[in-house]
Amino acid sequence: MKNILITLTLVACSLTVPSQAQPLSKGEQADSIAVLLPQMHDTARLDALRVILKLVEGLPEDRHYTKMFLNEARRQKDVQAEAFALITLTAIYWTQYDTDSVYIFGEEAIDFTRKHQIYDYMAYTQRQIIRRHAKDSRVLTALNIAKEAYEEAKTRDDNISMGVFLGAIGDIYYDLRQFDQAAQYFLESNERLLQNRDPKSLTILNNYFFATWMFRHLEDWQQSLRYADSMGVEIIFLQDIHPNFDFDTYRFYKEFLSAVAYAELAMLTVETRHATSLQNLSMQAIRKAEEVYDSRWRDELLHASIHDMYGTYYIATSDYNRALEHLQKLLDYNEKEQIDINILATKRSMARAYSEKGDFRNAFLLQSQIMQKQDSLNKEQFYSQINELRSIHELDQIQMEADRQKARADRQRLLITALAFACLGLMVIVGLIVWNRRRIMEKNRGLYRQIKEQDHLAEELERTKALLKGATATDATHPPDGSDLPDAPSEHDQNLVANLREYLLQDRMFDKHDLESNELALHLGTHRAALFTAVKNVTGKTLLDYLNSTRMDKARQLLEGSAETPIEVISEMCGFVSRATFYRQFSSYYGLPPAEYRRIAWKSM
């Protein structure tokens, strides 16, 4: 699809460009493909944008087209494509030294890839963030992030990610000029990466390169040669996988590091024949490096590396003047680029050449400069780490204060939430109380109506009895229905009960709570048993129940007759021992308290 797209695009461009015109640049080719994007369906559009990104790689247009690719990936909801766009943008901003954008897009890429479990992309982005921290003199911060990321990858048993983070830690130790630890981490990184190899990745090759370089700083020339050879093997492996990738720069550095290692080993060898053989190997490596070197690269570092090889080789062959000539050019470049670590290494080589030549004055002068520079670098690194520790401490203080404020805000929110729930609960309780009170009031009003209906029925019953009594007096025979009517109480009993009620109400005898039945019988001119029988026959109640019902009737009359008379006074007037007893018996008798009865009664008037 990609090849077809490129072909169609280039054909379209050739139709619009005169044949004698210059070939289109990569940027122009990218622009020509971009014109066709609106006419493509989704999959083809993403494929075309990938082609464009290849064309504009390293060009000023790369950021614009990468953002276009990102927007298209988001529109199509293509997770892999969006992750690729985010890490590519992070890498672009890294090369353009746009630190703020590196952190912004890098953190977004890390969050996105972690969410979608695209851990290889996440690891490479984290490594870029780590390197950015290290380059910005936040070495300790970078080291902590790298170690935390490694532990996270370890929990997933993710060898590729662990390898990437071990390499990042190696980078940091290189910046700290702790070359032995740096080399160890680069090699441990490769051990992890080789367990689950990603054929498309160049990380293993880069690790071999840096490990070789570290052993050069450590002056362990045998190990430097060993890993330079490993670089060569890795290049052969990768060029079959990436046939279009240009590995010449790696080949150049492989030969460069080999040439320096052979020359250094020649200087350490006592046997002349073996030393000469090593010198010849060094020159062969130099020739191979020169064959690979392309002047069109216009890379001053690579050109300076040629002077480095020749300077070391000529010291090994005791041609000190030519060695100093090359080393001086190397020093000029390093001082121009302010590469402190290489300045020190070059001056050491020059001091050795002067010393071997017998020019001890210049050798001593260079050694003094090396010591001063080394002391300056150590102080600079020390103060840089002190400043970083101070910054970390200040950030920790800010974070602690933020955590305290957050905890305080959380407590306040919790308190407000609790108060809100408490208020809501209180409102519910109040609502239930109001609802229950209304329900009780409605029930009490119903009871009051029932009491009044019973009073009405009682009055109707009394009138009916009076009518029956009159009818009986007129017709001394039986009622029309004969035996269906019950036997009426005797006139004596009725008169006795009527006299009892009149006595109780007029003389208020029932307000005596210790009223005796014998006293009542004596006052009414009868005996106790006759009184009991008369009350039972007329009312159907015992004498005690009749007294209580009479008290309750009187109490109701008093409650309905006065809204001001205290309940305690009414209870005493009705013959109750205490207000509590009155309340209990009244509520039991009528189903509602006396105060509530009076309230409803007066409200109903």
Side-chain angles (χ1 to χ4, degrees):
M1 177 64 194
K2 295 179 182 178
N3 293 332
I4 294 173
L5 182 59
I6 295 172
T7 303
L8 290 175
T9 305
L10 294 179
V11 169
C13 295
S14 66
L15 293 176
T16 59
V17 180
S19 58
Q20 65 271 22
Q22 293 293 326
L24 293 175
S25 67
K26 290 185 176 181
E28 291 170 334
Q29 292 178 38
D31 293 340
S32 300
I33 296 175
V35 172
L36 302 177
L37 290 176
Q39 305 171 23
M40 302 178 187
H41 59 79
D42 288 351
T43 304
R45 191 178 294 119
L46 276 178
D47 288 339
L49 282 167
R50 284 190 178 92
V51 174
I52 290 174
L53 293 184
K54 282 289 184 182
L55 289 171
V56 300
E57 188 175 356
L59 299 179
E61 299 93 333
D62 56 358
R63 187 166 62 184
H64 166 72
Y65 281 116
T66 305
K67 287 184 176 179
M68 186 184 295
F69 183 86
L70 175 61
N71 292 333
E72 183 64 26
R74 285 173 173 169
R75 188 187 70 80
Q76 297 189 27
K77 298 182 180 179
D78 188 322
V79 172
Q80 287 286 338
E82 184 174 348
F84 172 76
L86 286 171
I87 68 169
T88 303
L89 266 178
T90 305
I92 289 171
Y93 284 118
W94 209 102
T95 58
Q96 295 174 354
Y97 302 101
D98 188 343
T99 302
D100 291 340
S101 296
V102 169
Y103 292 134
I104 291 170
F105 281 95
E107 293 300 333
E108 184 179 355
I110 291 169
D111 291 341
F112 184 83
T113 50
R114 177 182 283 113
K115 175 182 177 182
H116 295 283
Q117 299 182 358
I118 311 175
Y119 294 122
D120 51 347
Y121 281 177
M122 184 179 79
Y124 290 117
T125 306
Q126 285 176 305
R127 184 168 184 173
Q128 290 177 325
I129 297 293
I130 292 165
R131 292 293 297 140
R132 188 70 267 163
H133 279 296
K135 292 297 183 184
D136 292 339
S137 300
R138 291 190 290 271
V139 178
L140 298 178
T141 301
L143 191 59
N144 288 335
I145 294 174
K147 289 183 176 180
E148 288 175 4
Y150 173 80
E151 292 300 326
E152 181 185 349
K154 190 175 181 180
T155 60
R156 301 192 307 266
D157 197 23
D158 183 351
N159 283 315
I160 291 179
S161 295
M162 282 191 281
V164 170
F165 296 131
L166 287 169
I169 297 173
D171 293 336
I172 296 168
Y173 279 112
Y174 172 70
D175 291 335
L176 293 171
R177 293 192 289 279
Q178 298 180 23
F179 304 121
D180 52 345
Q181 288 183 287
Q184 175 186 346
Y185 277 107
F186 287 129
L187 296 177
E188 286 182 11
S189 172
N190 272 359
E191 288 180 10
R192 291 288 182 181
L193 293 171
L194 289 169
Q195 291 181 33
N196 296 92
R197 185 173 191 134
D198 179 6
K200 297 178 291 184
S201 173
L202 301 178
T203 305
I204 294 174
L205 178 59
N206 286 323
N207 283 341
Y208 280 137
F209 166 73
F210 284 115
T212 306
W213 200 273
M214 295 307 100
F215 285 120
R216 182 199 176 189
H217 284 297
L218 293 169
E219 298 183 359
D220 188 340
W221 307 112
Q222 291 289 357
Q223 289 287 64
S224 185
L225 270 177
R226 174 186 174 185
Y227 291 107
D229 290 339
S230 297
M231 276 183 66
V233 174
E234 188 67 15
I235 290 169
I236 294 171
F237 172 80
L238 289 173
Q239 67 185 6
D240 293 334
I241 299 172
H242 302 281
N244 296 324
F245 188 84
D246 187 358
F247 288 96
D248 283 349
T249 303
Y250 286 102
R251 291 190 182 93
F252 175 85
Y253 276 117
K254 184 267 177 187
E255 300 300 339
F256 158 73
L257 291 167
S258 297
V260 172
Y262 281 128
E264 292 288 351
L265 286 172
M267 285 184 270
L268 296 174
T269 302
V270 177
E271 185 183 350
T272 303
R273 183 175 177 180
H274 189 201
T276 302
S277 175
L278 291 171
Q279 291 169 7
N280 291 336
L281 291 173
S282 177
M283 179 53 68
Q284 290 175 19
I286 291 173
R287 298 298 184 211
K288 289 180 181 178
E290 288 180 325
E291 289 175 5
V292 174
Y293 179 76
D294 189 340
S295 59
R296 290 177 299 175
W297 289 346
R298 296 181 182 177
D299 190 324
E300 293 186 47
L301 175 61
L302 296 175
H303 186 70
S305 298
I306 294 177
H307 293 302
D308 194 350
M309 288 187 292
Y310 274 112
T312 309
Y313 172 77
Y314 284 128
I315 292 176
T317 57
S318 303
D319 192 344
Y320 302 115
N321 289 330
R322 296 179 70 178
L324 288 168
E325 179 182 344
H326 285 285
L327 291 173
Q328 185 60 53
K329 293 178 180 179
L330 177 62
L331 180 62
D332 292 341
Y333 168 77
N334 289 328
E335 288 180 339
K336 172 188 168 186
E337 298 296 328
Q338 298 181 350
I339 308 175
D340 293 329
I341 190 170
N342 290 346
I343 291 172
L344 290 174
T346 304
K347 285 188 174 183
R348 287 192 188 95
S349 296
M350 293 178 71
R352 181 169 57 179
Y354 277 120
S355 179
E356 293 292 336
K357 182 182 177 181
D359 189 347
F360 299 110
R361 180 175 177 278
N362 280 325
F364 177 77
L365 181 62
L366 283 171
Q367 288 293 351
S368 298
Q369 293 175 1
I370 291 169
M371 292 176 64
Q372 292 176 1
K373 184 67 174 177
Q374 186 67 61
D375 184 58
S376 174
L377 290 176
N378 289 339
K379 286 181 179 179
E380 181 180 341
Q381 183 176 357
F382 172 76
Y383 286 120
S384 174
Q385 293 183 8
I386 290 294
N387 289 334
E388 185 181 6
L389 285 171
R390 185 181 295 111
S391 299
I392 292 173
H393 174 71
E394 291 173 354
L395 289 173
D396 286 343
Q397 293 296 318
I398 293 172
Q399 184 62 45
M400 288 173 63
E401 180 61 27
D403 291 342
R404 282 195 292 269
Q405 292 180 358
K406 183 177 182 298
R408 193 179 303 116
D410 290 341
R411 287 195 297 270
Q412 291 176 349
R413 281 195 296 270
L414 184 61
L415 179 60
I416 292 171
T417 303
L419 288 174
F421 277 109
C423 291
L424 180 61
L426 183 61
M427 290 172 63
V428 171
I429 292 171
V430 170
L432 289 173
I433 291 173
V434 171
W435 174 80
N436 193 51
R437 182 173 178 79
R438 288 179 178 177
R439 186 177 63 83
I440 292 173
M441 290 172 62
E442 184 62 33
K443 177 185 175 184
N444 290 340
R445 283 193 291 269
L447 290 172
Y448 178 79
R449 287 192 295 269
Q450 290 178 11
I451 293 170
K452 288 301 179 181
E453 288 174 1
Q454 289 174 1
D455 290 344
H456 178 69
L457 291 174
E459 292 174 359
E460 290 292 331
L461 181 61
E462 290 298 326
R463 283 197 293 270
T464 302
K465 286 181 178 179
L467 291 173
L468 288 173
K469 182 178 181 181
T472 306
T474 304
D475 185 2
T477 61
H478 297 288
D481 302 70
S483 60
D484 290 338
L485 291 175
D487 294 335
S490 67
E491 184 176 354
H492 175 269
D493 289 345
Q494 292 182 19
N495 290 334
L496 185 58
V497 172
N499 291 335
L500 173 62
R501 181 175 181 81
E502 182 180 358
Y503 171 73
L504 291 173
L505 293 175
Q506 289 181 357
D507 295 335
R508 293 175 53 196
M509 293 300 293
F510 60 80
D511 62 355
K512 298 178 180 180
H513 58 81
D514 56 351
L515 185 64
E516 293 290 341
S517 56
N518 289 331
E519 182 181 354
L520 288 173
L522 181 63
H523 178 78
L524 294 173
T526 186
H527 51 83
R528 183 169 174 270
L531 180 62
F532 283 169
T533 302
V535 172
K536 185 68 173 178
N537 290 337
V538 174
T539 66
K541 302 176 182 177
T542 65
L543 177 61
L544 180 60
D545 289 340
Y546 180 73
L547 290 174
N548 284 335
S549 66
T550 306
R551 283 190 177 100
M552 292 301 170
D553 289 341
K554 185 62 177 179
R556 284 201 299 122
Q557 291 174 13
L558 293 172
L559 290 170
E560 292 173 357
S562 172
E564 304 297 333
T565 305
I567 301 294
E568 291 84 354
V569 175
I570 293 175
S571 68
E572 290 177 2
M573 292 172 65
C574 295
F576 289 96
V577 178
S578 66
R579 181 176 183 271
T581 302
F582 174 59
Y583 258 84
R584 183 173 64 255
Q585 293 194 13
F586 190 94
S587 298
S588 176
Y589 198 85
Y590 291 113
L592 69 165
E596 182 68 10
Y597 180 88
R598 180 160 64 180
R599 187 188 68 78
I600 297 172
W602 278 85
K603 193 173 181 181
S604 301
M605 289 182 181

